[in-house]
Amino acid sequence: MAVTQGKSGGRTPLIAGNWKMNLDHLQAIAFVQKLAWSLKDARFDFDDVEVAVFPPFTDLRSVQTLISADKLLLKFGAQDVSAHDSGAYTGEVSGAFLSALDCNYVIVGHSERRTLHLETDEQVGAKALAAIKHGLVPVICVGETADDLAEHGPSAVPVAQLTAALENVAEGADIVVAYEPVWAIGSGQAATPEQAEQVAAALRDVVRSRLGDEAGAKTRVLYGGSVKAANIASFMRQPNVDGALVGGASIQVEEFASICRYKAHVGT
Ligand code: PGA
């Protein structure tokens, strides 16, 4: 079966690399250079598939400078943002600062933040709003735990999380949604493409009902959780899956480049 070339609604696939707390700013420069060369060598078409990296905060200025100086077509973003604009919030980073660094995106509500920092749906929603306010596209992460899956099936928890996160988001807002089953993150056990499709379709319905038909059609819904070069094509074949949020494999340059080039290795 061929990989769907374009996605309906004119959605450009997005391959996003969440580096988590890996690679310092010097390693980030070397990595981004290698990634750009590798994709350029392979005549990668950045208009056809968008590629974004999400380094730690301390790397962002270096990554921005490199991308701008070398006119690279990679996009980039941060892994979190404060719900506040400025003030007495020690350790937090404002969306205004990320915007000043030309970030395109910011991840909000990653399961590691929900679990380790006890972030609630309400806080995730406030962060998404802050991102939008500062001209960043929030990548809103949702996903069920293994217990949720056993108790409620795959869609219920992610649908409830996204519904809550979008509560105060204005109709037509530009967002990305990432479905990441918690049990699939870093476990080597990805969801089946069928499950990813089922939940992605349900999440698209949430976007449609909260943000309008147009947003429902144009919003990219990503799958995340143990994505690698060997399984990416099976997810990208699904009509409602528009890309991937990649963790572990996103800091291995050849593996990540290969994921970005999923159209070239269908059937391998
Ligand atoms: P993984 O992580 O690809 O290592 O499973 C995905 C994520 O946490 O975004």
Side-chain angles (χ1 to χ4, degrees):
M1 202 201 323
V3 170
T4 312
Q5 285 303 307
K7 293 283 177 180
S8 68
R11 304 190 296 273
T12 303
L14 170 63
I15 304 295
N18 172 15
W19 294 5
K20 309 193 180 187
M21 200 171 72
N22 293 292
L23 308 183
D24 66 25
H25 71 291
L26 297 174
Q27 293 168 319
I29 292 171
F31 182 95
V32 169
Q33 270 169 340
K34 272 191 219 148
L35 177 63
W37 287 334
S38 176
L39 292 174
K40 202 169 164 211
D41 273 357
R43 298 177 194 285
F44 184 78
D45 181 354
F46 287 91
D47 290 329
D48 197 33
V49 177
E50 199 182 332
V51 177
V53 293
F54 292 79
F57 286 126
T58 49
D59 299 2
L60 288 172
R61 175 66 173 154
S62 306
V63 168
Q64 176 211 17
T65 305
L66 173 62
I67 286 179
S68 148
D70 290 4
K71 299 190 171 47
L72 305 181
L73 297 172
L74 294 164
K75 305 279 179 63
F76 65 102
Q79 297 172 16
D80 188 27
V81 64
S82 175
H84 308 284
D85 292 345
S86 64
Y89 301 103
T90 301
E92 296 201 26
V93 175
S94 166
F97 306 161
L98 299 177
S99 192
L101 283 175
D102 297 335
C103 284
N104 309 101
Y105 295 101
V106 63
I107 294 171
V108 298
H110 190 277
S111 76
E112 285 149 19
R113 303 235 27 120
R114 292 178 189 264
T115 307
L116 304 173
H117 300 269
L118 308 180
E119 282 188 16
T120 63
D121 288 337
E122 204 180 17
Q123 286 168 320
V124 174
K127 289 182 174 198
L129 275 185
I132 293 165
K133 176 176 177 185
H134 293 291
L136 306 160
V137 177
V139 178
I140 303 173
C141 299
V142 296
E144 83 287 357
T145 63
D147 286 348
D148 294 333
L149 181 65
E151 208 175 322
H152 309 287
S155 305
V157 167
V159 160
Q161 288 174 334
L162 186 61
T163 304
L166 294 184
E167 189 171 334
N168 297 312
V169 172
E171 193 168 323
D174 196 3
I175 62 164
V176 171
V177 176
Y179 167 51
E180 298 205 303
V182 179
W183 49 269
I185 294 177
S187 67
Q189 200 205 331
T192 62
E194 292 72 27
Q195 177 175 337
E197 169 60 18
Q198 181 194 333
V199 180
L203 294 172
R204 186 174 306 290
D205 284 343
V206 173
V207 175
R208 195 175 289 121
S209 74
R210 295 221 67 100
L211 306 186
D213 287 344
E214 202 184 315
K218 75 170 194 208
T219 296
R220 272 108 32 111
V221 181
L222 315 182
Y223 166 75
S226 298
V227 170
K228 44 189 195 257
N231 63 19
I232 180 68
S234 64
F235 291 107
M236 297 308 294
R237 284 191 189 103
Q238 308 304 317
N240 282 291
V241 177
D242 306 311
L245 183 55
V246 185
S250 79
I251 52 169
Q252 299 166 33
V253 75
E254 286 310 328
E255 180 74 6
F256 188 63
S258 182
I259 292 170
C260 297
R261 297 178 57 240
Y262 69 91
K263 289 188 180 181
H265 59 85
V266 180
T268 61

